Amino acid sequence: MLQCIFILSDSGEVVLEKQLTGHRVDRSICDWFWDQAYSQGDSSSKLPSVIASPTHYIFHIVRDGIIFLACSQVEMPPLMAIEFLCRAADVLSDYLGGMNEDIIKDNFVIVYELLDEMIDNGFPLTTEPNILREMIAPPNIISKVLSVVTGNSSNVSGTLPGATASCVPWRTTELKHSSNEVYVDLVEEMDAIINRDGVLVKCEVYGEVQVTCHLSGVPDLTLSFANPSILNDVRVKKLKSTPIYVKPQFTSDSGACRVSVMVGMRHDPGKTIDSITVKFQLPPCVVSSDLTANHGTVDILANKVCSWSIGGIPKDKAPSLTGTLMLEAGLEKLHVFPTFVAEFRIMGIALSGLKIDKLEVSNVANRPYKGFKALTRAGEYQVRS
């Protein structure tokens, strides 16, 4: 069980302390934690999520510069502690509309009340945001004015939420929607690495099913795939080709470097490829650049990143970017070549080949409208030059 929770700022200040059991944990444990962080180069993110001090086991996560730290003197499942800290951070961020030191200090009462309901005697209790919102009203201007006028600063409801006895506590009881519809999106991201010779080194697809449900009550949904055998690979699907190619070429002499980049369709997915963007970081030795494209727009951003917005690939020509990079004085040739990052989107298809067969909906009064959509987009798509 957890014995104490500390919320720390990035400067090391204890913003909030919550003792959970009869055994009081001294704040000196935070000083020991920061000594370990400084030994790792003044960065708590480099520390393991679970570390053992001379007196306690310490669990911690970092969210938006705020450190959530929990302590225990007894052995316990570490993932339970980490999962609770993550859930607490998510709930506080949702309640308070953000996460920083000032927001937490301005809402001390709300934070304490939430932690009181989320954990009892060191064990996680109520962590569903749906139930917590019925038990503790989120902060707003009206509630703050009423607390000042009436002198009652408590936001805890006197009525037990109905969802606490439900088999699906994350869903509000007696939920009603004016619309009667459900949408299923099959979203995939392609990660690829292509070396300077154009050889595909890595190509993987990661996907997820996103559901937007506007159904009243507590319906039962069963999603079936037309070819579920594809899921035998579990999460990762390796591909042998990519939908687009990016061919960069650099030629430099006499302090100047000529650039030529061509983009085209390598494998026709059967659907339109749009929202194509190619970006690359100009080397530090480049002092000026003159780049133009026969299709799309080229922008040099403040951080010396060249962004080429192509959109879709026209049928009559292959998009190309050409120009010259001027090198700093004393440098004849370019020795550091950038990595190109490509972005694209393909609506209406999943490159893994996975297809949705049907969605069965039961326990509803009326027949709902069902919508299905597939989308493939670029994840970490890199081309070495």
Side-chain angles (χ1 to χ4, degrees):
M1 65 179 180
L2 298 177
Q3 295 174 321
C4 185
I5 294 177
F6 295 99
I7 298 181
L8 312 176
S9 67
D10 54 1
S11 61
E13 178 187 358
V14 178
V15 181
L16 184 142
E17 172 185 342
K18 178 67 176 174
Q19 300 291 336
L20 304 175
T21 64
H23 173 79
R24 181 176 179 82
V25 180
D26 193 81
R27 286 192 176 189
S28 60
I29 194 69
C30 299
D31 298 331
W32 185 91
F33 171 80
W34 279 110
D35 290 340
Q36 299 299 310
Y38 289 139
S39 68
Q40 298 292 330
D42 194 21
S43 175
S44 58
S45 61
K46 295 182 181 180
L47 284 175
S49 297
V50 183
I51 54 179
S53 75
T55 58
H56 293 81
Y57 295 105
I58 299 178
F59 313 91
H60 84 283
I61 64 169
V62 181
R63 289 289 181 87
D64 299 328
I66 299 296
I67 301 171
F68 291 78
L69 186 145
C71 306
S72 177
Q73 283 187 314
V74 298
E75 291 191 6
M76 61 176 294
L79 287 180
M80 183 183 76
I82 298 299
E83 175 64 21
F84 174 78
L85 293 178
C86 291
R87 181 60 66 91
D90 291 339
V91 169
L92 292 180
S93 180
D94 180 52
Y95 255 77
L96 307 180
M99 183 80 68
N100 60 50
E101 182 179 351
D102 294 332
I103 291 178
I104 294 176
K105 288 182 177 179
D106 291 340
N107 296 275
F108 264 131
V109 176
I110 290 288
V111 176
Y112 272 108
E113 290 174 344
L114 285 172
L115 291 178
D116 276 336
E117 299 297 340
M118 294 183 69
I119 191 166
D120 180 36
N121 198 34
F123 293 95
L125 183 60
T126 303
T127 59
E128 289 294 340
N130 171 54
I131 299 178
L132 290 171
R133 282 186 172 275
E134 293 189 37
M135 300 175 67
I136 302 173
N140 53 54
I141 299 297
I142 297 178
S143 63
K144 291 182 179 180
V145 171
L146 288 176
S147 65
V148 173
V149 174
T150 62
N152 181 17
S153 59
S154 176
N155 298 280
V156 180
S157 172
T159 305
L160 185 66
T164 54
S166 171
C167 59
V168 282
W170 48 265
R171 186 173 177 87
T172 304
T173 57
E174 299 181 0
L175 181 64
K176 295 182 179 180
H177 287 284
S178 58
S179 58
N180 187 34
E181 55 194 14
V182 56
Y183 298 95
V184 180
D185 295 343
L186 180 58
V187 181
E188 295 186 344
E189 287 192 358
M190 170 179 281
D191 291 353
I193 297 178
I194 302 171
N195 65 15
R196 61 186 307 171
D197 297 323
V199 178
L200 188 62
V201 178
K202 169 189 173 183
C203 185
E204 297 176 345
V205 168
Y206 301 80
E208 62 181 8
V209 176
Q210 300 175 354
V211 179
T212 302
C213 181
H214 293 154
L215 302 179
S216 302
V218 187
D220 294 325
L221 284 73
T222 303
L223 181 65
S224 303
F225 294 99
N227 45 357
S229 60
I230 292 180
L231 298 177
N232 292 337
D233 291 339
V234 184
R235 189 174 67 91
V236 179
K237 179 67 179 178
K238 295 184 178 181
L239 302 180
K240 297 182 180 180
S241 63
T242 58
I244 66 171
Y245 66 82
V246 179
K247 295 182 179 180
Q249 184 176 3
F250 292 87
T251 306
S252 58
D253 57 19
S254 303
C257 178
R258 291 180 293 277
V259 181
S260 175
V261 183
M262 294 189 63
V263 176
M265 186 180 300
R266 182 192 302 274
H267 169 70
D268 188 0
K271 298 289 184 178
T272 303
I273 306 176
D274 59 8
S275 301
I276 301 175
T277 303
V278 177
K279 297 180 180 180
F280 65 96
Q281 177 76 49
L282 296 178
C285 58
V286 174
V287 295
S288 64
S289 60
D290 181 18
L291 301 174
T292 58
N294 65 348
H295 183 78
T297 58
V298 180
D299 297 312
I300 305 298
L301 307 181
N303 55 355
K304 295 185 69 174
V305 171
C306 176
S307 177
W308 178 21
S309 299
I310 301 173
I313 299 177
K315 297 181 179 180
D316 57 340
K317 59 182 177 181
S320 63
L321 179 146
T322 57
T324 304
L325 305 178
M326 299 305 299
L327 309 181
E328 60 186 13
L331 192 63
E332 292 291 324
K333 294 184 177 182
L334 184 66
H335 300 287
V336 179
F337 299 98
T339 297
F340 289 75
V341 177
E343 301 175 0
F344 59 84
R345 183 184 66 176
I346 309 175
M347 296 293 298
I349 193 172
L351 291 183
S352 66
L354 188 65
K355 296 181 180 180
I356 296 176
D357 180 29
K358 60 181 178 179
L359 176 66
E360 297 178 354
V361 181
S362 58
N363 198 21
V364 292
N366 301 313
R367 184 178 180 181
Y369 172 80
K370 307 172 188 177
F372 302 94
K373 183 178 67 176
L375 166 66
T376 299
R377 59 193 177 199
E380 296 181 2
Y381 193 100
Q382 299 180 355
V383 179
R384 310 289 168 82
S385 61

